[in-house]
């Protein structure tokens, strides 16, 4: 079938970065970049920031309230008991449980969120553009119908792409 | 009672025994089935089989496929009117086992006697019982009981056996009936009838642990072989020589009540008796003494002589001839003289000479008539050693043709009874397996006392009745009935008892009044107001000659609080009952004084050889130097699965001195060996480490300052602080008071608790691992000089703290606080983290380390279908892996609350009595509602002597202890460490 | 601002990224070595022993142990606390060093985290088995039930414990797994074998290293990092409340939470040290786990050991200063002197004194001695737990209840069993999981690209 993508394969982080900068300047729209390790400049200058941290914070907030409510309901309202002369609402004891359960819920929920948003889950198979992108190559991917193909490829060549593959 | 009466009656109509058996079986199964359907897997009679067969094949399939045994309850078709399923009924009856008497109430639940309680109306035992009486209910369900009459081990029917006996007796040989002490007047009547029909027969009574020295002495001094009535309650000065009168001597329950009465002190009434114990082994009684003088038995005899002589000098009687004693007796003499007529001197010796001196001393002190009673004499211990010795020689000379023995065990208690074989014909009448029975040709199973009719005259003039509370479980026949049958009588014993009472005991105006009989039967006792006259003549001063004491090792043999003279060897409750002093169970051991141990290089659990027998050693503080002591009653060889081959049989060594059995043996020699033998002790740390645990003061200090020895209480009350407001209990707030001045450590409460709460027996190995399950334990501490320590007895049960540390830490809410202040455990909820055990500063919680029920590794009462009949259906039998502990007998609390509610009234104070409280012979425990200011418990809580255990932890226990007061000069050490305790916090 | 050049290279030799991959993943492709098979064999035998012990306990009852009605807890709880302590290494390592921006952690934290997960797993076995009725363990969940519903007791440290341990197990596991996703992808893309491709592919969850993935990946690891930081501190504090909340002398003290946390990290780091020394030796990974790294860990150990010493002394001082006779007895007559003298002094020497030897560079650089010390520390830490759990219980308030405790073979076997599980787990990890975080090492590796620009850029990147 007819290829839709062009990818520039770089051996060096530096060359990939310079290509990345140039393309940003010349407004060549980059589809995606595949890196063996996170290169923060790329992460920060392409696409929106991830909101997962903010989401996580809210998870925490709701967990705290939820857990406290549950404890108070079960221990004070639903079935109050006298343990060693303590009032059924022994608040200091509740705090410990609340803290830990909050942490617990944050973890679980943000794990699910991550796997949903980053669309990663066990046995999930996504098209792999370049085998060595997880090893030692940096790959910049552009969509043919979105950019001027020649411009893009020449750009990447200049900045030292080891090869240009159409896919 | 109608019912029991009738069935027994039928049972008696000699001819139709087969018919009888059927009735019996039917009734038995009916009884068993109601609650305990174990009968399903119990050895089934034909009727059982048919009954089960009645169930359809489908059911059978279900049964076989189901893991848990299907339990079927077959209800009564026609319910006996006195039995309400789920409701206990109480019958007044009498306990007498040949050595000990108690007037009791038998708690019968759905036809099964499950608990013995004290009868508070009885003028003799006054609601008290002893550990042995409490445990006797288990003997009813003992696997070792004889179930069928046998001839040479072969099971036969009664008529066959009777025929054999008749034939034998017919040819008129010399017949001897050897029994333990008989205090039942109607049984005497039975013997009279037997003697009539068999003229050439005599009746001899024999006590394993004899007191015939006392009777002999009184015969010599007052012309009548009696044991006087002892009234410790009237004594202000008690001097006891080797007499364990609170534990085992003659009538301990009775004596404990009296004694405790003289130990009650309050700030308003700061007076108490002074108790001095002169003894070689540290007995339970000695542990309670105000002053204790440890001396060898021979020295104590010489002391008696010295006292006798100085009193004789003062009162102008001839002295006895004895070498001088080493110990100073002036103080004692002075004390006795000062308390003339209000003192009492007793001796545990069986030597008539010694007892004569005792009698003489008491006479010279005018104690007869006040603290000692020659009218209402004690009827126990009628055994006559001389007669028995004569019997043995008669046997040896072949002068006895037929030997009938009932409830005695000479083969064991003589350490072999070869002479017995000389008698051509030997019959044994008894309830359970024992050495003597096995040696006899005929064995006639007797009823257990809970199955039989009977009566008793423990004290001259006061009688009590014994009525059956369950139909005989086995094909047994009461001792008296056998005698009557063999005497050719047709009237049954039950009949005879009633007849005899109505004719001989009933007062003139009540003669022939059926109502009187029923009333008396309900009350269980009857006291003859008049007609008791002293059978004694004028006093003749005794002549006694004592020889100088040898200065070498003397062995004293004593009977223990738990096993008594060995008759309870097969009772696991008693075997696992720790000795009040040494805290050892499951064994007897040789107690050695610390000084002797040091010189001989002995240590605990070392094995020594004594008269060729190997014995473990236990270093016993307070044991008199130059003496060793060993418990009787162990080393049974034929007793049943529990009691066999535990410890050594010391009876073998008891010699006859001038026809009297002597329990002290001088000039013994110990050979040390390289062996060791493990001893199971429930307590291994014996001092209080100077902590304010048992608080003590002397009478002087107490009169000066009621808070003496207890200032720490005020301190900690002042220092108590709390983050949370203290819980308020509206309605009831249950509390328990322990008067450490009255508690003697007799362990009655422990067994009562075991019986009431289905506490498991765990066996020696587990006890050694410190896993005993008792819910109430009695801690025993020593202080000061190990050669003659102060001893403290302290009962510890769950303190039901209102700030209970154990409750906070249970993750699953298995233990929490009730709104009546009870600390309760929900067994079903418990997952057994054991955290509560760790966090209980009193260590009263118990963990079920294994499955103790139906487990062959723990082959005790709970592993037998028969013995499980004693289980109290009101209390859960705990599963493996859960924690249990004292519940203040919550089932009793609820029962009484329910009763009060139904009768629409307030609970009265003292109405609720936990098992430990109910039968405490000393009345040392008081239970009640602390919210009721009028309640006895609240009053005691306000006393200056009251304190709480570990109160500085602010656990707010609901159990209070009253400071122990000793009527003795305060020892320097004791106070210093008390003071130091109070400095700590 | 932190600058790598100052500290010298973190990774030795000038490796191309691809070589890093090959170096680290090589054990996955190599045939299992002899010692590895042997180790696996021995550990599985130990595991079998452990399973026998577990079976005996469950089928017969806790009675098969040495504990009694006075000493309710024994080896089970000692080992539980000990394992949990070791289980702190991984997370502590990753988190604290992440927060402190210690890049060198990246060579070690993977192994450390693996250790954590296995250790916590081992720990979790004990509280479960020391229950009398393990079949009713589910009672501890507060769920609506037919019993009322009867909820649980939130005042009980054991409940806190239960929550904390399960949370910790889950979080450290996910933290560990998250770190491995990119590496799994790397293996997936490099391996020749179909099976490996399938298996690692399954766990790689379709990772490609795209921008979106990396962004959220970093976001999530910040969250988990932050959380786990709290957790590391709180978990062992909570474990300590099992004792601190009780009334027992020697337990009821406020110093316990910090004291336990530090102790945990101490034993954890010691265990990391032990493992890394073995690991780098047999896998020739000296280039990745450099002497410098171990030197740093050693220094940390010295520091913590000082804290331990302080904690011990504080405890003893307070016991004396409080004038509480029960505390005084426990510390002075039952630990320092008395029945448990040996255990006490083992604890003190191994934890507070021996590590001080590492002040000397000579000793610090001698891997053998360091190795021995790291082992001694863990022995000492075991004795610390013994001192806390057993000595207090044996002789507390009422002398009448005093008893002693010694373990039965069942308890010992169970401990050996968990050791077996640990070794077994770690061996599997060596063989089937890249023991160093490949992507992280690569990220670190770039720093020795001799271009100031990059490092500055990195700086910007960090800000």
């Amino acid at each position: 079938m007819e290829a839709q993508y062009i990818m520039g394969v770089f051996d060096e982080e530096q060359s990939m970065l310079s290509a990345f900068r140039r393309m940003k300047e010349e407004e060549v729209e980059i589809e995606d970049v595949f890196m063996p390790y996170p290169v923060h400049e790329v992460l920060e200058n392409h696409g929106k920031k991830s909101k997962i941290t903010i989401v996580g914070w809210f998870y925490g907030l709701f967990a705290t309230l939820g857990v406290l409510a549950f404890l108070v309901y079960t221990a004070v309202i639903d079935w109050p008991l006298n343990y060693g002369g303590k009032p059924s609402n022994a608040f200091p004891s509740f705090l410990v449980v609340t803290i830990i359960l909050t942490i617990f819920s944050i973890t679980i929920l943000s794990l699910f969120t991550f796997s949903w948003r980053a669309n990663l889950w066990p046995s999930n198979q996504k098209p792999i553009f370049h085998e060595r992108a997880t090893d030692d190559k940096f790959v910049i991917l552009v969509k043919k119908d979105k950019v001027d193909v020649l411009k893009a490829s020449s750009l990447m060549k200049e900045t030292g792409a080891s090869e240009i593959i159409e896919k | 009672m109608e019912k029991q009466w009738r069935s027994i009656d039928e049972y008696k109509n000699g001819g139709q025994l087969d018919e009888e058996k059927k009735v019996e079986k039917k009734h038995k199964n009916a009884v068993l089935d109601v609650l305990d359907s174990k009968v399903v897997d119990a050895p089934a009679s034909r009727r059982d089989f048919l009954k089960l067969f009645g169930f359809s094949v489908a059911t059978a399939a279900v049964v076989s496929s189901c893991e848990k045994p299907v339990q079927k309850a077959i209800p009564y078709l026609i319910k006996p009117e006195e039995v309400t399923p789920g409701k206990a009924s109480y019958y007044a009856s009498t306990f007498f086992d040949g050595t000990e008497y108690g007037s009791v109430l038998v708690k019968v639940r759905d036809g099964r006697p499950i608990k013995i309680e004290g009868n508070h109306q009885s003028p003799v035992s006054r609601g008290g019982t002893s550990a042995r009486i409490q445990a006797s209910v288990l003997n009813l369900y003992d696997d070792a009981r004889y179930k069928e009459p046998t001839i040479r081990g072969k099971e036969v029917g009664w008529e066959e056996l009777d025929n054999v006996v008749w034939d034998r007796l017919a040819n008129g040989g010399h017949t001897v009936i050897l029994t333990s002490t008989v205090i039942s007047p109607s049984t005497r009547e039975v013997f009279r009838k037997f003697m009539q029909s068999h003229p050439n027969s005599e009746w001899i009574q024999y006590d394993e642990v004899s007191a015939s020295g006392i009777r002999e002495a009184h015969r010599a001094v007052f012309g009548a072989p009696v044991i006087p009535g002892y009234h410790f309650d009237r004594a202000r000065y008690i001097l006891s020589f080797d007499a364990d009168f609170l534990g085992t001597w003659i009538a301990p329950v009775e004596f404990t009540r009296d004694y405790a009465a003289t130990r009650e002190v309050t700030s308003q009434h700061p007076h108490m008796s002074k108790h001095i114990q002169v003894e070689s082994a540290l007995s339970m009684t000695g542990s309670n003494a105000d002053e204790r003088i440890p001396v060898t038995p021979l020295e104590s005899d010489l002391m008696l002589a010295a006292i006798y002589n100085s009193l004789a000098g003062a009162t102008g009687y001839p002295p006895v001839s004895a070498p001088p004693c080493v110990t100073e007796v002036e103080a004692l003499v002075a004390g006795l003289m000062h308390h003339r007529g209000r003192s009492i001197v007793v001796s545990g010796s069986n030597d008539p000479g010694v007892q004569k001196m005792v009698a003489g001393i008491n006479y010279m002190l005018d104690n007869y008539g006040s603290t000692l009673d020659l009218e209402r004499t004690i009827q126990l211990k009628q055994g006559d050693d001389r007669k028995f010795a004569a019997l043995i020689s008669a046997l040896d000379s072949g002068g006895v043709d037929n030997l009938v023995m009932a409830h005695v065990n000479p083969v064991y208690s003589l350490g072999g009874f070869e002479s017995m074989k000389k008698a051509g014909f030997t019959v044994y009448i008894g309830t359970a397996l024992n050495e003597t029975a096995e040696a006899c040709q005929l064995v006639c199973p007797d009823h257990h006392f809970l199955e039989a009719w009977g009566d008793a005259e423990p004290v001259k003039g006061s009688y009590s009745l014994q009525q059956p509370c369950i139909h005989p479980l086995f094909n047994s026949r009461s001792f008296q009935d056998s005698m009557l049958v063999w005497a050719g009588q047709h009237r049954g014993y039950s009949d005879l008892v009633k007849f005899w009472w109505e004719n001989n005991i009933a007062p003139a105006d009540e003669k022939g009044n059926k109502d009187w009989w029923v009333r008396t039967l309900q009350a269980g006792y009857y006291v003859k107001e008049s007609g008791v006259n002293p059978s004694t003549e004028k006093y003749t001063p005794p002549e006694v000659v004592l020889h100088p004491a040898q200065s070498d090792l003397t062995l004293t043999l004593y009977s223990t609080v738990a096993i008594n003279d060995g008759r309870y060897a097969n009772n696991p409750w008693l075997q696992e009952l720790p000795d009040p002093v040494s805290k050892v169970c499951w064994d007897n051991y040789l107690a050695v004084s610390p000084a002797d141990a040091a010189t001989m290089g002995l240590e605990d659990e070392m094995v020594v050889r004594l008269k060729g027998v190997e014995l473990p050693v236990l270093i016993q503080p307070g044991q008199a130097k130059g003496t060793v002591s060993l418990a009787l009653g162990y080393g049974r060889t034929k007793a049943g699965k529990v009691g066999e081959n535990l410890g050594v049989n010391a009876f073998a060594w008891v010699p006859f001195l001038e026809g009297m059995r002597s329990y002290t043996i001088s000039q013994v020699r110990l050979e040390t060996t390289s062996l060791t033998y493990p001893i199971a002790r429930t307590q291994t740390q014996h001092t209080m480490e100077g902590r304010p645990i048992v608080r003590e003061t002397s009478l002087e200090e107490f009169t000066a300052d009621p808070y003496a020895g207890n200032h720490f209480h005020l301190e900690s009350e002042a220092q108590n602080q709390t983050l949370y407001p203290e819980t308020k209990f509206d309605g009831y707030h249950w509390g328990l008071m322990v008067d450490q001045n009255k508690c003697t450590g007799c362990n009655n409460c422990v067994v009562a608790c075991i019986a009431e709460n289905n506490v498991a027996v765990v066996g020696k190995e587990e006890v050694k691992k410190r896993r005993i399950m008792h819910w109430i334990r009695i801690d025993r501490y020593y202080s000061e000089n190990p050669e003659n320590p102060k001893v403290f007895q302290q009962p510890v049960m769950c303190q039901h703290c209102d700030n209970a540390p154990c409750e906070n830490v249970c993750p699953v809410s298995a233990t929490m606080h009730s709104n009546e202040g009870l600390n309760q455990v929900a067994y079903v909820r418990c997952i057994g983290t054991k955290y509560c055990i760790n966090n209980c500063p009193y260590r009263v919680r118990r963990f079920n380390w294994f499955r103790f029920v139906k487990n062959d590794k723990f082959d005790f009462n709970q592993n037998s279908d028969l013995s499980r009949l004693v289980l109290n259906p009101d209390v859960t039998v705990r599963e493996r892996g859960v924690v249990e502990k004292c519940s203040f007998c919550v089932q009793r609390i609820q029962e009484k609350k329910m009763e009060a509610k139904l009768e629409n009234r307030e609970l009265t104070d003292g109405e609720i009595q936990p098992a430990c409280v109910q039968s405490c012979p000393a009345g040392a425990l008081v239970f009640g509602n602390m919210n009721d200011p009028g309640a006895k418990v609240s009053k005691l809580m306000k006393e200056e002597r009251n304190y709480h255990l570990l109160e500085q932890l602010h656990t707010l226990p609901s159990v209070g202890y009253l400071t122990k007061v000793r009527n003795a000069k305060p020892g320097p050490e004791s106070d210093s460490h008390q003071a130091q305790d109070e400095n700590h916090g | 601002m932190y600058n790598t050049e100052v500290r010298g290279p973190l990774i030795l030799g000038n490796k191309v990224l691809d070589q890093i991959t090959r170096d680290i993943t090589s054990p996955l492709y190599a045939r299992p070595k002899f010692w590895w098979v042997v180790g696996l064999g021995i550990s599985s035998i130990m595991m079998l022993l452990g399973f026998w012990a577990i079976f005996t306990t469950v089928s017969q009852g806790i009675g098969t142990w040495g504990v009694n009605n006075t000493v309710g807890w024994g080896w089970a709880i000692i080992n539980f606390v000990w394992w949990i302590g070791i289980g702190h290494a991984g997370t502590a390592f990753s988190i604290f060093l992440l927060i402190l921006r210690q890049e060198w952690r990246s060579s070690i934290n993977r192994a450390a985290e693996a250790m954590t997960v296995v250790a916590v797993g081992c720990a979790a076995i004990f509280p479960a088995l020391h229950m009398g009725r393990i079949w009713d363990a589910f009672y501890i969940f507060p769920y609506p039930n037919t019993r009322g519903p009867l909820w649980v007791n939130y005042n009980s440290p054991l409940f806190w414990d239960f929550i904390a341990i399960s949370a910790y197990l889950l979080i450290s596991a996910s933290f560990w797994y998250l770190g491995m996703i990119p590496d799994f992808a790397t293996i997936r893309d490099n391996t020749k074998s179909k099976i490996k491709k399938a298996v690692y592919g399954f766990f790689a969850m379709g990772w490609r290293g795209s921008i979106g993935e990396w962004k959220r990946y970093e976001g999530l690891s910040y969250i988990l990092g932050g959380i786990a930081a709290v957790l590391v501190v709180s978990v062992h504090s909570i474990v300590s409340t099992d004792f601190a909340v009780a009334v027992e002398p020697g337990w009821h003290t406020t110093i316990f939470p910090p004291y336990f946390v530090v102790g945990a990290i101490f034993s954890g780091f010691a265990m990391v040290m032990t493992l890394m020394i073995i690991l780098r030796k047999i896998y020739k990974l000296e280039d990745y786990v450099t002497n410098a790294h171990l030197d740093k860990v050693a220094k940390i150990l010295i520091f913590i050991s000082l804290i331990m010493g302080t904690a011990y002394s504080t405890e003893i001082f307070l016991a004396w200063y409080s004038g509480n006779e029960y505390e005084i007895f426990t510390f002075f007559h039952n630990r320092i002197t008395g029945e448990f003298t040996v255990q006490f002094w083992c604890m003190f020497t191994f934890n507070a004194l021996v590590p001080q030897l590492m002040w000397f560079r000579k000793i610090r650089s001698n891997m053998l001695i360091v190795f021995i010390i790291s082992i001694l520390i863990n022995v000492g830490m075991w004795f610390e737990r013994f001192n806390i759990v057993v000595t207090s219980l044996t002789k507390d308030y009422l002398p009448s209840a005093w008893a002693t405790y010694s373990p039965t073979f069942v308890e010992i076997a169970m401990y050996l069993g968990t050791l077996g599980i640990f070794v077994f787990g770690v061996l599997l990890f060596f063989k089937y999981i890249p023991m160093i975080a490949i992507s992280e090492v690569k990220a670190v590796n770039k720093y020795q690209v001799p271009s100031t620009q990059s490092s500055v850029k990195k700086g910007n990147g960090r800000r």
Side-chain angles (χ1 to χ4, degrees), chain C residues 254-292:
Chain C
T254 45
I255 196 184
F256 264 18
Y259 166 18
F260 267 53
V261 173
V262 174
I265 295 167
F266 192 42
S267 59
F269 274 33
M271 186 56 96
V272 173
M273 184 74 112
T274 320
L275 279 190
M276 289 329 267
I277 292 175
I278 303 174
L279 185 126
R280 69 201 280 264
K281 187 116 237 85
I282 55 188
Y283 283 108
K284 310 267 168 307
L285 290 173
E286 280 87 349
D287 291 357
Y288 295 88
V289 186
T290 63
N291 289 344

Side-chain angles (χ1 to χ4, degrees), chain C residues 36 44 55 70 82 218 238 342 349-350 355 378 388 430 442:
Chain C
W36 189 86
S44 7
F55 174 77
T70 296
W82 189 71
E218 296 226 308
I238 287 176
V342 178
T349 325
F350 295 162
N378 267 310
I388 292 167
F430 283 175
K442 285 173 182 166

Side-chain angles (χ1 to χ4, degrees), chain B residues 691 769-772 779 808-811 828-835 838-839 843 849 879-880 952, chain C residues 58-59 63 65 67-70 72-73 130 132-133 147 151 153 156 242 246-248 326 396-397 400 402:
Chain B
R691 299 174 179 184
K769 292 185 192 145
R770 304 299 296 271
R771 293 174 179 173
I772 196 162
D779 292 347
N808 289 320
V809 298
C810 174
V828 283
R829 180 69 171 171
C830 178
I831 57 173
T833 65
K834 302 190 268 348
Y835 197 176
N838 294 343
N839 209 30
R843 284 296 190 278
W849 299 100
E879 187 189 345
R880 178 193 124 195
Q952 66 273 34
Chain C
V58 174
S59 59
W65 297 3
V67 280
N68 55 43
N69 282 335
T70 296
W73 289 348
H130 98 294
R133 303 200 301 169
R147 292 183 294 276
W151 307 98
N153 177 4
S156 167
D242 286 351
V247 294
E248 289 295 286
Y326 306 102
D396 64 350
Y397 291 98
S400 65
W402 288 4

